[in-house]
Amino acid sequence: MRIITGSARGRRLESPQGNDVRPTTDVVKEALFSIIQFDVEGAVFLDAFAGSGQIGLEALSRGAEKAYFVDKSRHSMAVVRKNIEICGFEPDRAVTVSADSVAFLERTAERFDIVFLDPPYMTGLLQRALEAAAGAVRENGIIICEHPREEMLPQQAGGFSLKKEYRYGKIVISIYRSSEL
């Protein structure tokens, strides 16, 4: 696992051990950032269910102003902090929060430009997180969901609509934007 491009390009990242974390593949990560390439610069990014933090770190490397990393696993958060250090990002740009991601989304006063959701597959967490994310994203923001092809998502979440789905083998990236756009 590595940072693909930007200020931390080529940095090798650590990954939490065990079956609880399923890192996003480089192919899917590269495709994801190709989709949102014009939205990342200056954005406030949330990497919910952060795992290793690689998606939020890629966003910072590509010019996001700030990234929040949320995961309830202490082990995952230790790995995220190590990866932030490896990439050399300042603590004021890379904020770590040890918390349940859905609860964080429901309670946070922060508003995000981009929210990335990649919870454990087929647990119902994605649907709950998607609904909570709709209240934590700025009106012109983006909610991105990574999920298996078999997991169906709603057409609407709060004021956001499913605009596009991208398939990469067994993985789907679903993009939600404001229903007004």
Side-chain angles (χ1 to χ4, degrees), residues 2-12 57 61 86-89:
R2 63 184 173 81
I3 300 295
I4 297 169
T5 197
S7 64
R9 180 180 182 206
R11 303 276 169 87
R12 297 246 172 242
L57 291 167
S61 183
I86 288 168
C87 292
F89 294 121

Side-chain angles (χ1 to χ4, degrees), residues 50-77:
S52 67
Q54 72 161 326
I55 300 297
L57 291 167
E58 187 73 40
L60 285 172
S61 183
R62 292 173 183 246
E65 178 184 318
K66 189 177 222 177
Y68 287 76
F69 302 86
V70 180
D71 203 300
K72 69 179 181 180
S73 164
R74 288 183 185 173
H75 178 64
S76 288
M77 290 313 297

Side-chain angles (χ1 to χ4, degrees), residues 49 70 99-107 125 128-129 132:
F49 308 95
V70 180
D100 176 90
S101 293
V102 175
F104 174 82
L105 283 162
E106 290 171 344
R107 295 186 194 128
L125 273 175
R128 290 180 43 226

Side-chain angles (χ1 to χ4, degrees), residues 4-82:
I4 297 169
T5 197
S7 64
R9 180 180 182 206
R11 303 276 169 87
R12 297 246 172 242
L13 303 176
E14 292 189 13
S15 180
Q17 300 300 309
N19 296 328
D20 294 338
V21 177
R22 172 197 26 76
T24 299
T25 66
D26 278 353
V27 169
V28 173
K29 182 169 61 170
E30 200 159 346
L32 163 66
F33 280 96
S34 183
I35 294 164
I36 63 169
Q37 65 184 324
F38 301 113
D39 300 296
V40 176
E41 184 76 32
V44 177
F45 194 97
L46 172 63
D47 187 350
F49 308 95
S52 67
Q54 72 161 326
I55 300 297
L57 291 167
E58 187 73 40
L60 285 172
S61 183
R62 292 173 183 246
E65 178 184 318
K66 189 177 222 177
Y68 287 76
F69 302 86
V70 180
D71 203 300
K72 69 179 181 180
S73 164
R74 288 183 185 173
H75 178 64
S76 288
M77 290 313 297
V79 171
V80 169
R81 288 183 191 97
K82 176 73 173 164

